[in-house]
Amino acid sequence: MLRNTFYILFLFFSFSTQAQETLSLEEAIQIALENNYEIKIAQNNLKIDATNNNLANAGFLPTISANLTNTNSQLNTKQTQSDGSVRELDNAKNFSLNYGIGLDWTLFDGFSMFARKEQLATLEAQGKTELQATILNRISEVYLTYFNLVQQQHVMASIDSAIVISNERVTTAQNRFSIGKASKLEVLNAQVDLNTDRSLLLSQKELYKNTQIRLNELLSRNLQTNFKVNNDVVFDSNLLFDELKELATKQNPQLQAQILNKKIADLNLKQVKGTRYPTVRLTSGYNFSRSEASLGFITQSSSQGFVYGVTASVPIFNGFLQNKREKVAKYEVENASILLDQQKLAIESQMASLYQSYLTNLELSKVEQENVSIAKQNLEITLAKFKIGTITTIEVRTAQQNYIEASVRYATALYNTKLSEINLKELAGTLPLK
């Protein structure tokens, strides 16, 4: 009898969902990789870091500029010559024009430019780890939300089966009442249980819809898109803690980002120390100048040609600021080292807790699977006895609830096992992205 009930339930569930899109996990991941807003922002941030990583930003290349200066004046002028004579001219016009191309090139700045270039390359590498972290984060959330929907579909199927059985109980109770073999109380109890199951299904459908909306948000698509997910839950039962821990030290994006932060602090200290050395600059250019004056020994002059020179400066004393800046930079290096150690410990702690949950849920899955089988057999026997009137409706309801609760616990154990596996692989940097 129970086998027929589940067959009817399967047909009902298939009919109710056949109009919906079936979204596979692989499709959900691919859509998220293409559409998710946070991933797009992280990709653009990486492009910014890559664009900034160039020789010009590091200070290796010269700057070339074109200059133009045009000055005009009209003055009342009075000049006293060396022989005592005086020359005067009202509205004396003066004109000056200078233009040309100039070059300024820092040849040496205490190796700071080399440290800056390496720092820019490190920032680009950090951008890559941040993109990887964002992708793993968002795809991990897609995994978890997807399997949350899988779990909820199992729960709804269990509640649906309860409703089918409760309907049969109402029908049986009414038939028994009509021939005088049961009281009205039995019919009322069966109807109350049926309404309880219907109410529970409505609440579960609301939770399912809200989880659907969350997954659509992660996929950056229409939030009202209706779909169902595949019910299969396959998990990796052979994860080893030592292997995951070793992979995390090499691949965990947060840890790699902290390693790069330490390197950036080291390079910053190198740049600060570089200001102790001399700075050498090359200046050059080609200039043209012309001037005219209404009064004076020279009324007109012009020149053009190539100019060049070298300047050098050596810091001698700046109020002990150099020492203070180096001290601050060293503290920043020390803090970066501490944060790196803290990150390593935090990741190891998370992995240890998650791995223990993973092992526990693996065992729980086996236990709950066995409980479902036992509860199913118990329900079949109970329904058969109820049909011939040898047990009460209370015993039927108890067997029914035991089966539903065992089914829900089994679905929850599968989900929790998958959740632990996904989180462990995310920390280890091995979560599949396709």
Side-chain angles (χ1 to χ4, degrees):
M1 180 64 192
L2 185 61
R3 186 178 297 108
N4 294 334
T5 298
F6 285 119
Y7 179 70
I8 294 171
L9 172 63
F10 173 78
L11 291 178
F12 169 77
F13 194 74
S14 298
F15 178 78
S16 64
T17 58
Q18 64 183 358
Q20 297 179 4
E21 166 200 358
T22 299
L23 179 68
S24 70
L25 178 61
E26 293 75 15
E27 290 171 338
I29 293 171
Q30 187 60 36
I31 294 171
L33 288 172
E34 293 174 359
N35 294 350
N36 185 268
Y37 295 126
E38 292 181 56
I39 292 176
K40 287 183 176 180
I41 291 172
Q43 288 171 338
N44 283 336
N45 286 336
L46 175 57
K47 292 176 183 177
I48 292 172
D49 293 332
T51 303
N52 287 331
N53 181 17
N54 57 71
L55 294 174
N57 270 343
F60 278 90
L61 301 182
T63 58
I64 299 175
S65 56
N67 305 295
L68 171 66
T69 304
N70 185 7
T71 305
N72 295 274
S73 64
Q74 190 169 340
L75 306 171
N76 294 330
T77 306
K78 181 180 180 180
Q79 295 180 350
T80 302
Q81 306 297 316
S82 59
D83 59 0
S85 62
V86 177
R87 302 176 62 189
E88 293 185 60
L89 179 64
D90 292 338
N91 297 321
K93 295 181 179 179
N94 297 284
F95 163 78
S96 175
L97 174 65
N98 293 277
Y99 61 87
I101 295 178
L103 176 146
D104 188 2
W105 193 355
T106 301
L107 301 178
F108 180 76
D109 64 350
F111 305 104
S112 292
M113 63 178 69
F114 296 96
R116 280 194 297 273
K117 182 62 178 72
E118 191 175 355
Q119 189 177 61
L120 291 171
T122 305
L123 287 171
E124 182 180 355
Q126 191 177 54
K128 291 179 181 178
T129 62
E130 288 172 356
L131 172 59
Q132 184 186 10
T134 301
I135 291 174
L136 281 174
N137 228 311
R138 296 287 72 80
I139 298 305
S140 173
E141 199 168 351
V142 169
Y143 269 96
L144 296 177
T145 308
Y146 188 93
F147 284 109
N148 192 1
L149 287 172
V150 173
Q151 179 208 22
Q152 290 181 38
Q153 283 186 174
H154 283 296
V155 172
M156 282 194 293
S158 299
I159 298 173
D160 279 333
S161 69
I163 290 175
V164 172
I165 295 171
S166 294
N167 271 315
E168 288 188 1
R169 282 182 55 208
V170 171
T171 301
T172 301
Q174 287 175 337
N175 291 337
R176 286 160 57 86
F177 174 71
S178 65
I179 61 176
K181 288 189 175 182
S183 65
K184 184 65 175 178
L185 181 61
E186 183 176 315
V187 177
L188 294 174
N189 283 334
Q191 289 176 334
V192 168
D193 291 340
L194 175 60
N195 288 334
T196 299
D197 293 338
R198 286 173 175 171
S199 176
L200 186 60
L201 181 60
L202 287 173
S203 298
Q204 186 61 42
K205 284 183 175 179
E206 178 189 4
L207 179 60
Y208 185 84
K209 184 60 180 178
N210 289 336
T211 309
Q212 259 190 345
I213 291 172
R214 176 53 185 157
L215 184 55
N216 283 329
E217 181 186 0
L218 288 170
L219 304 186
S220 299
R221 64 179 186 174
N222 189 329
L223 298 179
Q224 299 306 319
T225 302
N226 200 16
F227 62 92
K228 62 187 179 73
V229 295
N230 294 323
N231 279 327
D232 296 333
V233 180
V234 179
F235 44 79
D236 189 346
S237 58
N238 298 312
L239 296 180
L240 299 175
F241 179 74
D242 289 338
E243 290 182 3
L244 291 168
K245 181 181 173 183
E246 181 66 24
L247 287 170
T249 59
K250 300 176 182 178
Q251 299 178 176
N252 181 271
Q254 287 83 10
L255 185 58
Q256 296 306 310
Q258 198 56 57
I259 291 172
L260 292 171
N261 276 334
K262 168 66 167 57
K263 186 175 181 180
I264 289 171
D266 289 332
L267 292 169
N268 183 61
L269 174 60
K270 197 172 182 179
Q271 289 182 65
V272 172
K273 288 182 175 181
T275 58
R276 287 186 177 274
Y277 295 89
T279 300
V280 180
R281 287 187 175 88
L282 170 66
T283 57
S284 180
Y286 190 88
N287 293 330
F288 173 85
S289 65
R290 179 170 173 243
S291 63
E292 294 180 5
S294 300
L295 186 66
F297 288 107
I298 301 175
T299 58
Q300 183 176 344
S301 69
S302 64
S303 64
Q304 64 180 38
F306 182 70
V307 295
Y308 57 90
V310 176
T311 62
S313 62
V314 181
I316 297 176
F317 179 75
N318 63 353
F320 303 109
L321 288 178
Q322 179 66 31
N323 292 336
K324 296 181 186 301
R325 288 170 183 164
E326 289 184 17
K327 187 176 291 187
V328 169
K330 288 177 181 178
Y331 287 140
E332 290 173 347
V333 171
E334 185 178 347
N335 281 342
S337 297
I338 294 171
L339 288 172
L340 177 57
D341 292 338
Q342 183 185 38
Q343 186 72 43
K344 289 179 180 177
L345 185 62
I347 290 174
E348 185 176 350
S349 174
Q350 290 178 57
M351 294 191 76
S353 297
L354 286 169
Y355 192 74
Q356 186 57 54
S357 298
Y358 165 77
L359 294 177
T360 301
N361 286 311
L362 274 178
E363 294 301 315
L364 278 175
S365 298
K366 297 175 184 176
V367 172
E368 296 301 345
Q369 185 178 27
E370 184 179 351
N371 282 338
V372 169
S373 178
I374 295 171
K376 179 181 177 181
Q377 294 177 40
N378 181 56
L379 182 57
E380 288 176 340
I381 295 170
T382 303
L383 285 174
K385 288 184 177 182
F386 177 69
K387 285 292 184 180
I388 61 177
T390 58
I391 61 173
T392 65
T393 58
I394 294 176
E395 291 175 289
V396 176
R397 182 62 175 175
T398 300
Q400 181 186 7
Q401 287 179 325
N402 285 341
Y403 175 74
I404 301 306
E405 289 172 2
S407 299
V408 171
R409 287 199 307 271
Y410 178 51
T412 302
L414 289 177
Y415 172 69
N416 288 336
T417 303
K418 194 65 182 177
L419 185 149
S420 300
E421 176 196 329
I422 291 167
N423 287 329
L424 281 168
K425 289 183 175 179
E426 180 188 356
L427 287 173
T430 60
L431 189 66
L433 300 180
K434 59 181 179 178

